[in-house]
């Protein structure tokens, strides 16, 4: 490959290499005693068909992670290409008004479903595993909805791809 090769996992190079992996963008939401939480997450993947499982990796210090662990449910809202602003709003640290930008739809669990995405995957918390400075949340899928009329939001090399 190109010029930048590291014999050990140089942190800056590791970050850059991972940033080269084009990823979809989601907002993971939950609700605890009526209080809504949500954060932008690109570390999301399908995991199993039978049973239907997905995984999402959240930073240990994430307030959303703490709320999901207590609530026991979460919704993975897969964003559409025109929802970049929403992705940034849900990533802004200390922003307590993240839901001001989002219209909500009723869902199968207490976790809020954001309107306007390409898909929403509603889950019960199945397991939580150690992932270094992140935690790996495994969700058992209880409901899914999709909107195939729009392209998904894609994030790579620190920016959203316009499609
Ligand atoms: C495009 C994008 C992708 C992100 N992906 C993740 C992720 O996969 N996991 C994570 O923990 N944080 C991710 N973040 C950062 C969080 O959204 C950010 O740290 C947020 O402030 C955490 O909020 P909370 O503490 O209220 O949960 C991402 C941010 C952006 C802009």
């Amino acid at each position: 490959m190109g010029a930048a090769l590291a014999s050990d996992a140089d942190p800056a190079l590791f970050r850059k290499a991972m940033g080269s992996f084009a990823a979809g963008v989601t907002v993971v939401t939950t609700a605890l005693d009526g209080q809504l939480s949500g954060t932008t997450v690109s570390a999301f993947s399908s995991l199993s068909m039978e049973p239907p499982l997905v995984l999402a990796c959240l930073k240990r210090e994430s307030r959303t992670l703490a709320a999901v662990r207590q609530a026991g449910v979460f919704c993975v809202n897969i964003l559409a290409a025109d929802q970049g602003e929403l992705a940034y709003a849900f990533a802004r640290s200390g922003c307590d008004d993240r839901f001001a930008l989002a219209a909500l739809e009723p869902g199968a669990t207490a976790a809020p479903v954001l309107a306007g995405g390409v898909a929403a995957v509603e889950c019960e918390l199945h397991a939580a595993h150690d992932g270094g400075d992140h935690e790996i949340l495994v969700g058992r899928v209880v409901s899914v909805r999709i909107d195939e009329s729009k392209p998904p939001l894609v994030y790579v090399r620190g920016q959203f791809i316009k499609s």
Side-chain angles (χ1 to χ4, degrees):
M1 247 198 247
L5 285 173
S7 55
D8 55 350
D10 171 71
L13 202 55
F14 174 49
R15 187 182 286 266
K16 226 171 175 176
M18 294 303 100
S20 311
F21 185 63
V25 184
T26 77
V27 171
V28 172
T29 56
T30 194
L32 184 63
D33 301 329
Q35 174 73 41
L36 305 186
S37 311
T39 189
T40 303
V41 167
S42 57
F44 166 69
S45 176
S46 61
L47 178 62
S48 162
M49 280 300 290
E50 190 49 58
L53 301 175
V54 295
L55 69 82
C57 305
L58 271 72
K59 292 176 190 174
R60 286 202 181 277
E61 65 268 25
S62 162
R63 294 175 301 175
T64 308
L65 170 66
V68 169
R69 292 209 62 159
Q70 281 193 66
V73 292
F74 61 98
C75 179
V76 184
N77 299 274
I78 303 175
L79 299 186
D82 61 1
Q83 290 183 304
E85 207 180 309
L86 200 64
Y88 281 134
F90 276 86
R92 212 167 291 137
S93 81
C95 174
D96 290 324
D97 205 14
R98 293 173 178 177
F99 286 90
L101 276 178
L104 304 182
E105 292 174 358
T109 75
V113 177
L114 306 184
V118 295
V121 183
E122 296 177 83
C123 301
E124 283 169 359
L125 182 60
H126 177 78
H129 300 290
D130 174 41
D133 57 12
H134 283 55
E135 201 159 296
I136 305 162
L137 296 179
V138 178
R140 188 184 172 102
V141 179
V142 295
S143 180
V144 169
R145 66 188 72 184
I146 58 171
D147 178 352
E148 292 182 300
S149 68
K150 306 181 201 182
L153 186 62
V154 176
Y155 189 73
V156 66
R157 292 186 174 149
Q159 52 191 12
F160 298 121
I161 292 182
K162 297 260 178 262
S163 50

